[in-house]
Structures are given as structure tokens and as C-alpha cells.
């Protein structure tokens, strides 16, 4: 990334949605802003303060944080996101209003997660620009905007789960079976005040002053152009991947948390393998595999003969399945329980050749910049859109499964695991090409230029005060 310093000492607030997958990329962006000479105050809930620690030690004078209380609620599972978003607004809005109004040197802008669209109204009250930070890509954001404007409808959602939803206003007109539509966008909740609040909060993202993406221009150019037309201005910046580069001070081994297998043990095992011979399997820190998914996965890994690292969360009653599996495969694989691994460090190792992933956007970018081919098995949220982008539009991935509806046959999955390590396959060639493009973007290319332009426009606002 460019290290040009901003001449004006700007102070901004960064407000992530309080889950690790949303906090970490916004903290990585915060790190970049701090290296450009800005002051940043990060808003964080008590159980996530630990995620700030490596950044605080790297930027002791320019990075501050404000600890906000976490909502004390137990939402029903089918409405968890809707209720959490509204509870955060009700709890934090008055606290933040008072904090801004009493601060001796208040921030000149707010950058907040796209789940916190209601901060646009806070920014308006404070007469400040609000930037929406999207931890998802431009394609996924285009899909979300379309679904918020025109919520998908299905007259018989319980029976017709394969009812096709088409989004003709989004480039390439993507279609989805009903079961892939995230619950927060379905018309089933139309009379629900929590649903209406969430929808309005998401729509507020598109009338905010600007949108910042953890993505890069050449990855999703058609969707960036589309969003600029939709919002009616060019304050749409692609500054990613906002990942630590080699040698960065933010430690890769402890990034986001501790693994059940220490990083040095993982690296020692990887160092002993042949180049491009290992499949890394991970479904993120939140997905809990069903018993059927787990059984298909471990059978495929066992039958394939490939070397692998498996990182997974499993049902409480399936721990013995993993233990038996570890005994069967011996030294051919490593199993990390709990869903958290030093993923960036693993993917960048020379021996990792492919990545079986749930297609969360952080994982997508980490896979792309590492140059590994991906096997896609999306589980929910924007992951089906991300898989569509990887497989059908970018050609860097191979479709393996889809949620609990399309669980692959274990023999077919075993075949795909082997095929994914074939260096001459088109997906492997394309993955290396896109890795080079991604690295170029953050080493003086389009993402660096967008970041510099973003800071310049914020500095211009500061001058007008």
C-alpha cells in the first residue's frame, strides 16, 4: 500500500458491526488510514476489545477506542440479525450523540459497517459525512440493494423452496432459488417493524455520503459502475484487499483469535509437505456443519488421499466423528476444531494448492490474493453470490456444494479435491493471474489510488470547517 502521509491530521470514527468477520476487515482499513497519518477512534463492544490489541500496540498514539455496551437481548434465531441491528441503534445512538457533542476534538466523519446504516441519520444530526463500509463485495452489495428496493416474493415459500428469484436490474441478471434468499430480504416479514427498520437501515447506505469496499476495481468493475449509477455519484471507493501484506506488523498468526492448534505446529507440518499438495478446508468461524455435511466431508477427505488441513465447527454430538477421522488419516492431515485458524498464514504457504471454502468475503479475498484455486460450498448470506462470482464470472473456482440443499456425493467431492490440485487446470491458471492483479491493486495500483482519493476528499471536508 502507498505510505503517503495525509498533510491534515484528520480524526474519524470507525464503527464495525460487532462480529469478528465484520470487525477485522474494518480494523485492517483503519490500520491503513492510520499509516496515512489519520487519527481514528474505533467503537467496540466489550467482548471484542481483544481484536484491537495488535492495532493498539502498533499505533499507540493515533488509535483510540470507545467501548460501547452490548445489547442484553436473546433474539429468536430466524430474526437474530434484524433484532440485533435495531437493538444496537436503540442502545448506541444516544450514547454516540452525547459523545460527539461533548468531544473536545470531534471526528470529521463516520465510517460504519453496512449493517449499521442507521448511523447515516446520526451523521445527519451531527452534520457529518457518513461512509458505509462494505465487508462484502460490490456484486453482493448490488444484490442486497436490489432486494431491499424490491423484496423477493414467493406465494408458497414453505413448499416451493426452489422458486426462482430473478434480479434483472443487477448486471448479469443473477437468479437464485428461494432457499438461497437471506431471510432479512424476504417479503415474509413485511408487516414486522424489525424487518422494516432493517430494510430502511440498509437503504440508508445508498444515500450516505460515500461507500468504501474491501474489494478491488478489476475484480468487480461492472458492479462498481452499476453502484455508482444507482447512488448517483462517484464516491464509491474500492480499497482492498485490506489484508496485511508480507512483513506487516499486524501479526498473521494471532489475527482475530487463537487456533486450537498452535500456529508454529501448523507451519512445521506445512513445511514438511510438497509444494502445491495440500487442500485447506474451512467454513468460517460461525458455520456449524450438520452431521450429514460432516460425514460427507470427512469421507471425501479420507478417500481422496490428499494432504489437508480441516478447520471446522461441528455439532456437540459429533466430536467423536472428528476423533475417529483423525485416527484414520494419521499424519496426512491436521484437524483444527472450533472454526478459527491462522487462515492468511496457511493460505500463503507454498504447499497449499486449493481451498474448500464457504465463500465468506474475507475468505474469498484471502484465497484470491494467495493465488489458490477454490472449491465453493456456500452456506448462507452473501456466500451464494460470492460463489457465483468465483465460478461463473471469474473462473477461479470449482463448484462443490451449496448449503444443506445440495450436499455433494462423497465420491464426487473426493474427486474434486484431487482435481483442485492440478496446476494446469484453467482455474489454477486464472487464480494465479487474479492474485497478481490483486497484489498490483494494493501496491501502487487502483486500490491505493482510491484510498488516497478518499483521504483527499475527507481532508477537503476538514478544510471547509
Amino acid at each position: 500500500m502507498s505510505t503517503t502521509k495525509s498533510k491534515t491530521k484528520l480524526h474519524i470514527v470507525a464503527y464495525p458491526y460487532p462480529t469478528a468477520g465484520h470487525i477485522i476487515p474494518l480494523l485492517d482499513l483503519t490500520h491503513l488510514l492510520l499509516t496515512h497519518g489519520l487519527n481514528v477512534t474505533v467503537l467496540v463492544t466489550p467482548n471484542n476489545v481483544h481484536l484491537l490489541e495488535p492495532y493498539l500496540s502498533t499505533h499507540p498514539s493515533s488509535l483510540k477506542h470507545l467501548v460501547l455496551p452490548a445489547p442484553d437481548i436473546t433474539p429468536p434465531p430466524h430474526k437474530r440479525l434484524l433484532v440485533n441491528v435495531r437493538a444496537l441503534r436503540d442502545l448506541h445512538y444516544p450514547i454516540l450523540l452525547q459523545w460527539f457533542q461533548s468531544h473536545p476534538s470531534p471526528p470529521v466523519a463516520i465510517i460504519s459497517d453496512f449493517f449499521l446504516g442507521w448511523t447515516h441519520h446520526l451523521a445527519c444530526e451531527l452534520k457529518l459525512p457518513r461512509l458505509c463500509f462494505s465487508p462484502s463485495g460490490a456484486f453482493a452489495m448490488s444484490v442486497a440493494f436490489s432486494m431491499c428496493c424490491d423484496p423477493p416474493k414467493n406465494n408458497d415459500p414453505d413448499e416451493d423452496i426452489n422458486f426462482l428469484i430473478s434480479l434483472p436490474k443487477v448486471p448479469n441478471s443473477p437468479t437464485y432459488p428461494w432457499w438461497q434468499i437471506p431471510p432479512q430480504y424476504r417479503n415474509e416479514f413485511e408487516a414486522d417493524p424489525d424487518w422494516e427498520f432493517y430494510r430502511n437501515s440498509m437503504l440508508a447506505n445508498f444515500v450516505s455520503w460515500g461507500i468504501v469496499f474491501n474489494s478491488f476495481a478489476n475484480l468487480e468493475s461492472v458492479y462498481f459502475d452499476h453502484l455508482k449509477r444507482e447512488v448517483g455519484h462517484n464516491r464509491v471507493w474500492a480499497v482492498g484487499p485490506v489484508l496485511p501484506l508480507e512483513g506487516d506488523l499486524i501479526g498473521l498468526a494471532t489475527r482475530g483469535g487463537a487456533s486450537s492448534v498452535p500456529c508454529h505446529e501448523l507451519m512445521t507440518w506445512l513445511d514438511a509437505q510438497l509444494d502445491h499438495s495440500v487442500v485447506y478446508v474451512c467454513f468460517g468461524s460461525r458455520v456449524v456443519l450438520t452431521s450429514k455435511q460432516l460425514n460427507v466431508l470427512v469421507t471425501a477427505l479420507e478417500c481422496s488421499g490428499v494432504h489437508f488441513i480441516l478447520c471446522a465447527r461441528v455439532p456437540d454430538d459429533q466430536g467423536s466423528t472428528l476423533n475417529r477421522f483423525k485416527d484414520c488419516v494419521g499424519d496426512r492431515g491436521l484437524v483444527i476444531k472450533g472454526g478459527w485458524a491462522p487462515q492468511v498464514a496457511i493460505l500463503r504457504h507454498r504447499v497449499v494448492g486449493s481451498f474448500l471454502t464457504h465463500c465468506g468475503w474475507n475468505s474469498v479475498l484471502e484465497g484470491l490474493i494467495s493465488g489458490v484455486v477454490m472449491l465453493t460450498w456456500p452456506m448462507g448470506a452473501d456466500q451464494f453470490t460470492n460463489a457465483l462470482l468465483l465460478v461463473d464470472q471469474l473462473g477461479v473456482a470449482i463448484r462443490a456444494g451449496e448449503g444443506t440443499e445440495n450436499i455433494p456425493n462423497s465420491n464426487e467431492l473426493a474427486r474434486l479435491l484431487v482435481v483442485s490440485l492440478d496446476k494446469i487446470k484453467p482455474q489454477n491458471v486464472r487464480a494465479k493471474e487474479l492474485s497478481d492483479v490483486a497484489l498490483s491493486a494494493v501496491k501502487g495500483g487502483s486500490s491505493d489510488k482510491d484510498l488516497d482519493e478518499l483521504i483527499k476528499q475527507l481532508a477537503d471536508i476538514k478544510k471547509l470547517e
Side-chain angles (χ1 to χ4, degrees):
M1 286 283 181
S2 166
T3 55
T4 304
K5 300 291 183 180
S6 170
K7 294 180 181 179
T8 305
K9 200 72 170 179
L10 298 171
H11 178 200
I12 69 167
V13 152
Y15 183 10
Y17 185 74
T19 58
H22 288 245
I23 295 172
I24 291 171
L26 186 48
L27 288 180
D28 286 339
L29 174 59
T30 295
H31 171 63
L32 295 178
L33 295 173
L34 291 162
T35 61
H36 281 66
L38 277 70
N39 288 332
V40 182
T41 299
V42 176
L43 311 180
V44 65
T45 49
N47 60 330
N48 291 308
V49 173
H50 69 283
L51 295 174
L52 272 171
E53 289 170 1
Y55 303 86
L56 289 167
S57 61
T58 305
H59 307 282
S61 61
S62 52
L63 176 60
K64 308 297 181 186
H65 67 289
L66 174 66
V67 179
L68 298 171
D72 184 15
I73 55 172
T74 307
H78 69 289
K79 286 182 59 178
R80 183 178 292 112
L81 177 61
L82 305 180
V83 173
N84 280 339
V85 167
R86 192 171 188 182
L88 286 168
R89 187 268 180 207
D90 293 345
L91 184 59
H92 290 176
Y93 194 112
I95 297 172
L96 292 175
L97 185 62
Q98 192 276 333
W99 181 81
F100 271 92
Q101 292 174 339
S102 62
H103 199 288
S105 178
V108 300
I110 300 170
I111 180 167
S112 57
D113 190 274
F114 67 4
F115 281 156
L116 305 174
W118 56 264
T119 55
H120 166 69
H121 306 294
L122 172 68
C124 288
E125 185 168 354
L126 294 165
K127 296 182 172 55
L128 296 176
R130 182 257 171 167
L131 295 94
C132 166
F133 175 70
S134 176
S136 292
F139 184 15
M141 189 66 133
S142 299
V143 168
F145 186 40
S146 176
M147 290 186 180
C148 283
C149 291
D150 186 15
K153 293 177 170 57
N154 181 355
N155 293 329
D156 193 7
D158 294 328
E159 294 296 327
D160 196 358
I161 63 170
N162 289 309
F163 179 78
L164 286 182
I165 298 296
S166 178
L167 305 179
K169 295 181 181 179
V170 177
N172 296 312
S173 301
T175 60
Y176 304 87
W178 181 255
W179 63 269
Q180 291 185 2
I181 303 298
Q184 64 266 26
Y185 299 124
R186 298 178 183 179
N187 68 323
E188 298 170 355
F189 295 115
E190 274 191 342
D192 187 302
D194 291 324
W195 182 87
E196 191 62 32
F197 178 86
Y198 176 86
R199 178 172 178 264
N200 289 332
S201 184
M202 286 297 291
L203 289 172
N205 291 320
F206 302 95
V207 294
S208 292
W209 183 75
I211 308 177
V212 184
F213 283 91
N214 183 19
S215 185
F216 54 101
N218 285 337
L219 185 69
E220 306 181 274
S221 59
V222 65
Y223 301 108
F224 285 118
D225 291 342
H226 168 72
L227 286 170
K228 288 175 182 179
R229 290 192 298 269
E230 290 292 312
V231 300
H233 58 73
N234 289 325
R235 291 188 301 277
V236 176
W237 296 281
V239 301
V242 292
L243 295 167
L245 298 177
E246 296 293 344
D248 199 294
L249 293 177
I250 302 298
L252 296 181
T254 57
R255 175 181 167 80
S259 166
S260 66
V261 178
C263 189
H264 67 89
E265 289 186 21
L266 289 167
M267 294 301 117
T268 299
W269 183 86
L270 286 168
D271 288 343
Q273 310 307 315
L274 298 175
D275 286 4
H276 210 81
S277 67
V278 173
V279 178
Y280 172 57
V281 181
C282 184
F283 296 94
S285 60
R286 298 177 67 84
V287 172
V288 179
L289 297 178
T290 65
S291 298
K292 185 176 180 181
Q293 288 172 327
L294 178 62
N295 286 327
V296 164
L297 180 61
V298 297
T299 302
L301 285 167
E302 184 178 350
C303 295
S304 68
V306 301
H307 288 68
F308 66 89
I309 292 177
L310 167 62
C311 177
R313 294 181 66 195
V314 302
D316 292 338
D317 62 353
Q318 291 297 312
S320 59
T321 301
L322 275 185
N323 291 333
R324 286 195 301 270
F325 172 60
K326 288 170 65 176
D327 293 338
C328 287
V329 297
D331 293 336
R332 184 161 60 82
L334 287 180
V335 176
I336 303 172
K337 296 179 181 179
W340 198 272
Q343 182 161 290
V344 175
I346 291 171
L347 286 169
R348 290 182 183 177
H349 199 284
R350 60 177 172 78
V351 306
V352 175
S354 64
F355 178 20
L356 175 53
T357 172
H358 70 310
C359 302
W361 191 247
N362 292 328
S363 292
V364 165
L365 291 177
E366 289 161 8
L368 283 173
I369 208 163
S370 301
V372 299
V373 70
M374 285 177 264
L375 294 169
T376 67
W377 192 345
M379 299 292 180
D382 62 343
Q383 296 157 21
F384 299 107
T385 296
N386 298 340
L388 189 63
L389 178 72
L390 292 171
V391 176
D392 296 337
Q393 298 181 26
L394 298 176
V396 295
I398 302 167
R399 188 172 284 107
E402 292 176 313
T404 56
E405 294 297 320
N406 292 329
I407 297 176
N409 174 279
S410 58
N411 290 330
E412 173 61 11
L413 182 57
R415 186 188 71 83
L416 291 176
L417 292 169
V418 174
V419 163
S420 69
L421 295 173
D422 181 352
K423 288 186 189 179
I424 64 172
K425 280 195 69 64
Q427 290 90 347
N428 279 280
V429 175
R430 181 63 177 142
K432 182 62 174 70
E433 291 172 351
L434 260 183
S435 173
D436 293 339
V437 173
L439 286 168
S440 296
V442 296
K443 291 184 175 181
S446 61
S447 292
D448 264 5
K449 291 172 183 174
D450 266 22
L451 183 63
D452 288 340
E453 179 61 26
L454 165 60
I455 294 171
K456 177 182 178 297
Q457 292 209 32
L458 288 172
D460 289 342
I461 291 171
K462 172 70 173 174
K463 291 174 186 175
L464 295 175
E465 288 187 336

